[in-house]
Structure formats: C-alpha cells, structure tokens
Amino acid sequence: MQAIVRAWLPAVAVLVLGWLCALLAEPHHIAGFGAPADAFSAARAQRVLAALLADQQPHPVGSAQDAALQDRIVAQFRALGIPVHNYRAFVCNTWRGFAFIPCATVSDLLAEVRPGVGRAVLMMAHADSVPAGPGASDDAAGVAGILEAARALRAAGAHAPSDAHPVLALISDGEEAGLLGAAALLQNPALASEVGAAVNVEARGTRGASLLFQTSPGDARLVQLYAQHVRFSAASSLFADIYRRLPNDTDLTLFIRAGIPSVNFAIAENVQAYHSPLDRISMLSPASLQMQGDNLLAMVRALQSARFGELRGSDALYLSTLGYFLPHMPQAAALPLAGVVLLLLIWAVARARAVPVLRAASAPLLMIGGSVLLGQVLSMIAAWISGTTDPSYAHPLAMRAALDLAVWLVLLLTSALGSPRQLTATVWLWIGVLGVLAALYLPALVPYLVWPAAVAVVLLLWVGRAPGGWEGRRGRIASTIAAMAALLLWLPLATGSEALLGLQLQAAFTLSASLGLTTLLPLMATTVSAPIRRASVLACAAGALLGAVVTGLQPTYSASAPERLDLLYYETQGSFASQGSAHWIADSAWAGQPAAPLPRSLQHAAEFQAQSLALPGVAPASSFVASAGPPRLPLPRGEIRTAAADAPTSGESLVTLRLVGSANTDEMALYIPPGAALRGLDIRGQHLVAPAGWSGGTTLLCVTPDCRDETVRLHLAANRSDASSLQFVEHDYGLPAFGAWLGAARGPWAMPSQNGDEVLLAGQLVLPPR
C-alpha cells in the first residue's frame, strides 16, 4: 500500500496544484453598492446593465433596438452630467483586404468623461450585438463598465492630477459587422487626432478572468503600467502572440494600426454562449465584470498621467503567476538570458557528472510526443463513437479525465528510462535548449521555459556534489521545487487552453500539460517500483479508454451548451433554381469547423441533404438543404443604370448598379466574381480601390436597413472579355412566418448564432463583355 501511495502521491499533488491554479486564476472580488465612490463596483455596473438591456433583445447595427439602446446609453451619460455627442456616418472598412468589404450607416457615441491637458485616453466598447443574441457580455457589459468607470472618474474630482490627460468614451456602432464604428471615427481626422491612447473592453464568453489579450507593438511600458496598477492580473505574452496570428479582430485592431498605444481586455470563458441567445445578463459572472471594470479603471488612471510618446518602445515578455504576480522583461533580453541559463545548466550537469545515456535523453521527447499522440487516439475514439468532431463540447469532464490519465500513463512509462540523476539532467537540458529555440523563433514562449529553468539551475548547483547527490534527500527537494516552478506556469496554460479552446483541440491541452509534467520524471524514477509502475500503467490505460468511451456515449450537446444551427430560407434566380427555386438551408458549421449532424427532430421535419450552394462569399460553401416548395417572396430587383467607357488612358470601364430590396431588408450583399476584373468601387461617397494586381472575387456587404435601395458604381478593367454574372442577395433577419414550424423542430439542444436565422433572396445581373 505504501508503494502505491508513493506512486500516485505526485499525481494527486499535481491535480490539487492544478485545481488551486485554476481556482486562483478565477476572479472572486465583487464590490457592492457600498464601495467607495471613486472605485469600480460590479453591483452598480450590473444595475446599469439591467437598465440598458431591459428587453434583452438582439440589437444589430442599424436596427430599431440598436437605436433604442443608444438612447438609453445617452440618458445614462447625461444622468452623470457627462456631455455626449452622436457621430453618424456611412462607412466601409477594407481592413481585411478587398475580398470582403462591409459597409453601414453607423451611429457612434462620444462622451467627454473628464477634461484634461493634451490628447485623450479613450475608453472603448461597442453597443451593437450580433443579430442572433442579446449581447449582454459582448458587449453591453463593456458599455455598462465604461459608464461605471466614468462615474468613478468623475467622483474622484480634484484627486486627479492637474496635468492629467482628458478621458473620452467611445461607444462604437457596427463592431460586429466589421469594426465599422471605429473605422468611422478614425476616418475623421479631427476626431482621430484627439486620441492619444486607448483601452478597449470586449468579451468572448460570460465568465473567467478579464484577460489582457492584446497590446500595441512596443508594449513594454504598457505592460509595466498594467503590472503596477491592476489588483489582479491575467496576462501572457504568449496569449497576445497567438491572438496576433489569428483571424480575429476587435475595434482596437484599427486603433493599433493607426499607431495609437492601446490595450485590450476580454472575458473569454464559456464560449458556448458567445454570439448566441445564451449571452444574457443571467449568464454574466459579477466577479468577471468586476475584474474587467477594475482593469479598465486602473489602466485609464495610469494612462492619464503617462507620456504617450513613451508608450511605444520595446516589446515585453510577461506571464501572470497566480494572479498576483506579473514578472516581465524586455523581449531583447530573451536570447541572452536563455543562452546564459543553458550554459549554466550544462555546467551544473558536468559538475555533477550526470551525462545521460541515450534512453534517458529521449525521455522528455517521448513523454511529450507520446502524450499528444495518445490524446489524439482517445479523441478519435470518442469522435468515432459519437459521430461528431467535438464530442466533449457539452460534457468535458470524462474527456478531461481521459487526457489526464493518458499524460500520467506516458509519464509512468518514460520515467523508467533512466536514473533520477540522468533524468534530471535530461529534462532541464531539454528545457534549456527549447528556451534558446523559443528565444530565436517564438519569444513569447520564453517565460514558460527559461524562467523555471533559471530556478532549476540554482537548485541543481545547490545540490552539486552534496552527500547523496541528486538521488539523495537534497536532490529530491531540489527536483520537487524546480518541478513546482514549472508546473505553476504550465498547468494554468493547460487549463486555460481548455477554457478558451475546448478539448476538441486536445493537443493544446496535452502538449502544455505533458511539457510541464516532464519535470516530474526524476521524482517518479525514484519513488515507483517496477510492479507498481506496471499496475499503474494498466489502470491509467483502462481509465483513459473508459473516459473516451463515456465521452463518445454522452450527448454532444445540451440545453446549456447547444449546437449552433442557423436556419435559412433561400430563393434565387440562379443555376440553383433548376433544383427548385425555394429551399431551406440548415447551417451547422461554426468558426471554421465542419458541419455537425442535424438534430433528429429537424431531420424528420424536412428531408435535408448535404449539398453545395451557389452563394459564393455570402452563405456557407456546403450545408444541409431541403426543398421549400414553390417560391413565396418577391426577389430583390437590380438594374444596370449606366455602362459607359471611361477616359481611354484609365484602362477602366464604369458600371453603375442599383439594387432594391423589400421593406424587410436588413442587409444587401453584392458578389463580384473574379471575371469582372474589379479595380475599385464607389458607394455613398466611399471610394475603395483594389490593391495592385487584385484578381479575386469581392463581396460587398451593406449591413443596415437603409441599404435596401443602394447605388454602387464599379470600376472594371476595360479589357475584360467574359460576361460576368453579379449575384446580389437581400438578407432579412429571422425566419418567415411560414417557417416557424421549422424553427420549432430545431429543438432545445440547438440554437441560432452569429447572424442567426435569415431569409436570403438572391437576384442576378449580367455584365456584357467588353
């Protein structure tokens, strides 16, 4: 029994440590109504949020609900005695290139929170939601947080420095449709010139820590201000680097591109509610709202006294530890530090005469590679049994246990490949080498590798040639402390990756967990006998397999984590009409993931078949389609009003189009294929020029109801030779009345998301060849 306890005690200790890390990473502080007047109070912010979202209805840009919400926001600012102005403009945004161009009439609110000297610190959140959800977290909570922060700043009164910068608040419109409100403000030189620094608050979930997930380049001073002023930190240069590489954006993206020093905070756990009907006030964590507000207020106050010119300098590497510590260093120091640590590790190993044999030298790589591979096998088993790509979506506990046991199984096996002395040398030499490689190719990873290696090298030198060496009591103490230093960084990364990404991308979980747990290899080599090791391996294998099977047998979705499933009614004049001119479409793909199986109730309601669509740039490339019988709705009208040759030297021809939708139009989309040879377009004073050499297709999406009657002028290459077909589509949010039965058949374990259910009415125009 004592041998079994010794074998599993490290596993239990790691589980407890992981649980404590996850617990400490969660915000807990909530300030009530009795909080000091100059402090942020989640209770007060929640009261404001309830007043703003009284009906909890979606409020996409340009909708009547959006206008009503803005009226309530204006009333809240004025009740605080804060002047607020409405800036209305039509704007297009090509921030992602010329393939997708959103446009809209937006209505931004700009509030003068506090006067000051010089350019302003800008607090930012967006008022609009996606059409499918009420947007309580994304981003009405951000608006309520700004109102509460503004109240606190006003309450501070004379306590603010006399030379402090002014504070403005931007409540932007049209963020969900393509960062349009932010683009409108930045396209106005007079307004853009007032901004010296920006703090944005966002959400991709309803609970968890408020993450500092994005900063402007040269962020060392910004990170330093954050570390000095926030109550509870949640930040990693790795998260910021990963986000920089993802195709995701917020309003702050445009401010960063404009060269404005900026920081971005977001609540990011419980992504199941993101952009869906579940994003309601009741789902929002008050502790998360408190941390978001504390971060916002602390950074605004810090920036008020900062010199904006000093906020752009060197890049920083940083990593929040247990929420209360945020060590940071210049990125330029990463390679020298990594090199010095590696040299000291080599010296410590040579001094102890602990040169590892080949088997021991391969243990860390086998540990990491084996864990990821075994995790992939378990994920494939669960997916095969369930018939879905993400079987742990609603019930992750069994899959989490399976992956934990898989990593521990590989740890047990690889810890038998060498002596404690050999494995200690191997583990830390590999981490040192990886630290140098990270410094060269992925500096954001350096804190996870080099910092614990720096702790380890001190301990290894301390053990040195002490009696018993690394196999003795002092060696075990040193190995334990060094392992804890690594696990305090790697276990939160593992749990955080699950919270942000789920377990479908199991490699993010197993890779980070196994890399941290390699530091336990020397301890496991000391404490586990061969018979206990074999029995433990069998127990882990059986438990991991059982966890994968249970995951596969459990329902993939639930009422609290439903499948994302949009229902569309589609009529067209195009080639699709040969199969019937009216169709139902069930789109269960989300965020680039493959389409999930349809609920049985929906499959029984209509004969859906997997099929490709002819809606390039507008609707999913493939989805589930069923006949909707004869057409019932009038299609939008389009006409070519002019087709005149431009000046011969321009190499262009001009074509003016008029697109007219119904009174129900919420969006109007125009798809211009590559054959049209588009060189630019004009719409309501916005002149957009294609980049040199552009040869792709372009989707122009006008996303407010005033786009129902729109004129667009196209600049086309004069030498195009084919007759191009332009497809234009009217989008009406929600299902038509005659489709209510289909919405009911979706069932309680599925829900709309993003744009949600829609009516798509497509027409075509043919451009004559030149």
Side-chain angles (χ1 to χ4, degrees):
M1 177 59 71
Q2 189 176 7
I4 296 175
V5 170
R6 283 201 306 269
W8 284 89
L9 183 59
V12 174
V14 167
L15 287 175
V16 171
L17 181 65
W19 177 78
L20 287 174
C21 287
L23 183 66
L24 289 171
E26 289 290 321
H28 297 93
H29 171 69
I30 303 172
F33 291 107
D38 61 350
F40 187 95
S41 162
R44 291 190 289 249
Q46 281 184 304
R47 182 170 57 190
V48 172
L49 178 59
L52 295 180
L53 285 190
D55 54 1
Q56 298 218 60
Q57 293 299 309
H59 41 278
V61 56
S63 65
Q65 294 83 0
D66 186 34
L69 173 60
Q70 291 198 9
D71 288 342
R72 293 192 287 270
I73 295 170
V74 169
Q76 290 283 337
F77 273 121
R78 289 179 176 165
L80 295 172
I82 296 175
V84 58
H85 312 283
N86 185 295
Y87 177 65
R88 189 173 176 84
F90 182 85
V91 64
C92 299
N93 189 9
T94 58
W95 92 107
R96 285 190 177 175
F98 219 67
F100 174 76
I101 305 174
C103 304
T105 300
V106 295
S107 183
D108 289 343
L109 300 176
L110 195 61
E112 301 172 9
V113 176
R114 279 194 59 88
V117 180
R119 288 176 295 156
V121 179
L122 184 69
M123 299 188 289
M124 296 170 54
H126 64 87
D128 62 306
S129 73
V130 295
S137 298
D138 181 24
D139 192 25
V143 176
I146 283 179
L147 284 161
E148 168 61 8
R151 184 209 56 74
L153 288 166
R154 302 276 287 196
H159 295 295
S162 58
D163 60 345
H165 296 291
V167 179
L168 299 176
L170 171 65
I171 309 301
S172 69
D173 197 16
E175 191 270 354
E176 300 291 5
L179 320 183
L180 295 171
L185 183 137
L186 290 170
Q187 286 183 17
N188 185 317
L191 294 177
S193 64
E194 294 183 26
V195 181
V199 182
N200 191 52
V201 282
E202 261 286 0
R204 193 175 178 267
T206 62
R207 63 174 183 260
S210 171
L211 295 173
L212 174 64
F213 71 98
Q214 184 182 26
T215 58
S216 52
D219 61 359
R221 178 58 178 156
L222 288 168
V223 172
Q224 183 183 35
L225 290 175
Y226 173 73
Q228 290 172 346
H229 290 88
V230 300
R231 177 200 303 267
F232 188 82
S233 65
S236 167
S237 47
L238 180 62
F239 289 160
D241 189 69
I242 291 172
Y243 179 80
R244 196 176 298 120
R245 299 165 189 262
L246 295 175
N248 298 331
D249 294 294
T250 70
D251 279 339
L252 201 72
T253 299
L254 302 185
F255 284 80
I256 290 175
R257 289 189 179 185
I260 296 171
S262 308
V263 293
N264 214 348
F265 296 105
I267 302 166
E269 291 185 24
N270 190 29
V271 71
Q272 287 88 341
Y274 177 61
H275 282 184
S276 81
L278 294 179
D279 189 7
R280 304 177 62 82
I281 293 176
S282 59
M283 299 289 287
L284 176 64
S285 163
S288 299
L289 179 60
Q290 179 70 51
M291 184 178 176
Q292 184 98 308
D294 285 340
N295 285 347
L296 169 65
L297 187 57
M299 283 304 296
V300 168
R301 283 178 167 154
L303 290 169
Q304 272 190 280
S305 302
R307 296 181 180 179
F308 293 151
E310 297 177 355
L311 299 179
R312 291 186 293 268
S314 61
D315 289 318
L317 299 177
Y318 50 95
L319 177 57
S320 180
T321 306
L322 300 178
Y324 295 99
F325 309 98
L326 187 70
H328 51 281
M329 60 181 278
Q331 183 173 308
L335 185 57
L337 177 62
V340 168
V341 169
L342 179 58
L343 290 175
L344 289 174
L345 284 170
I346 293 172
W347 179 44
V349 168
R351 185 167 176 260
R353 299 188 180 92
V355 179
V357 297
L358 181 61
R359 284 201 327 159
S362 66
L365 294 183
L366 292 174
M367 166 77 184
I368 297 167
S371 297
V372 174
L373 179 62
L374 187 53
Q376 186 62 36
V377 170
L378 293 170
S379 296
M380 291 172 63
I381 292 172
W384 176 71
I385 294 173
S386 71
T388 63
T389 58
D390 190 7
S392 62
Y393 183 77
H395 305 286
L397 182 60
M399 195 66 210
R400 187 186 308 138
L403 295 177
D404 285 339
L405 289 170
V407 175
W408 200 256
L409 182 157
V410 180
L411 175 63
L412 286 165
L413 289 174
T414 52
S415 64
L417 296 178
S419 68
R421 179 184 295 261
Q422 292 170 337
L423 290 175
T424 301
T426 292
V427 166
W428 291 108
L429 284 175
W430 268 117
I431 290 178
V433 170
L434 291 175
V436 171
L437 293 175
L440 289 170
Y441 302 108
L442 186 59
L445 199 56
V446 163
Y448 293 90
L449 296 163
V450 177
W451 292 359
V455 174
V457 76
V458 173
L459 293 167
L460 298 184
L461 291 172
W462 171 66
V463 171
R465 302 189 183 197
W470 289 356
E471 287 86 354
R473 181 170 176 270
R474 183 182 290 190
R476 289 193 296 272
I477 292 174
S479 292
T480 301
I481 295 174
M484 291 300 103
L487 291 170
L488 282 174
L489 304 183
W490 283 99
L491 290 182
L493 183 61
T495 57
S497 67
E498 180 190 350
L500 295 175
L501 304 173
L503 290 174
Q504 183 180 14
L505 298 175
Q506 62 80 26
F509 178 88
T510 51
L511 180 63
S512 51
S514 61
L515 209 156
L517 287 170
T518 57
T519 59
L520 291 181
L521 284 170
L523 291 172
M524 297 300 291
T526 303
T527 58
V528 184
S529 63
I532 296 299
R533 189 186 309 276
R534 287 193 294 268
S536 297
V537 166
L538 291 175
C540 286
L545 182 60
L546 178 62
V549 171
V550 169
T551 299
L553 294 175
Q554 286 181 318
T556 303
Y557 305 105
S558 67
S560 59
E563 177 182 0
R564 294 176 184 267
L565 178 60
D566 295 335
L567 299 175
L568 313 175
Y569 175 75
Y570 174 42
E571 287 188 22
T572 184
Q573 296 173 332
S575 59
F576 203 74
S578 62
Q579 305 171 30
S581 57
H583 287 79
W584 298 112
I585 301 170
D587 175 22
S588 60
W590 183 71
Q593 299 300 321
L598 296 183
R600 291 181 181 177
S601 57
L602 189 63
Q603 189 66 55
H604 291 159
E607 297 180 358
F608 284 102
Q609 301 292 329
Q611 197 164 339
S612 296
L613 302 178
L615 279 173
V618 178
S622 63
S623 197
F624 300 97
V625 181
S627 174
R632 315 187 198 194
L633 300 175
L635 296 178
R637 307 188 314 275
E639 58 182 89
I640 300 177
R641 299 183 64 179
T642 62
D646 200 356
T649 57
S650 71
E652 292 182 350
S653 64
L654 299 179
V655 175
T656 300
L657 311 175
R658 185 186 177 203
L659 309 176
V660 182
S662 71
N664 297 321
T665 303
D666 290 302
E667 302 179 8
M668 186 68 79
L670 172 66
Y671 179 69
I672 306 152
L678 183 67
R679 294 294 176 262
L681 59 87
D682 301 316
I683 176 171
R684 290 203 226 171
Q686 295 271 309
H687 178 58
L688 309 173
V689 179
W694 174 251
S695 60
T698 296
T699 299
L700 177 68
L701 189 59
C702 201
V703 299
T704 41
D706 59 320
C707 298
R708 66 172 58 97
D709 189 342
E710 196 60 63
T711 299
V712 183
R713 186 166 72 163
L714 306 180
H715 298 248
L716 308 174
N719 59 353
R720 58 188 174 84
S721 58
D722 60 337
S724 298
S725 176
L726 307 181
Q727 191 164 44
F728 56 98
V729 182
E730 172 188 332
H731 291 238
D732 307 339
Y733 300 149
L735 287 173
F738 56 81
W741 62 275
L742 194 64
R746 180 165 37 200
W749 285 12
M751 65 179 180
S753 69
Q754 300 289 121
N755 268 25
D757 300 338
E758 290 186 278
V759 173
L760 304 179
L761 305 173
Q764 287 187 339
L765 289 170
V766 177
L767 296 176
R770 295 290 296 173

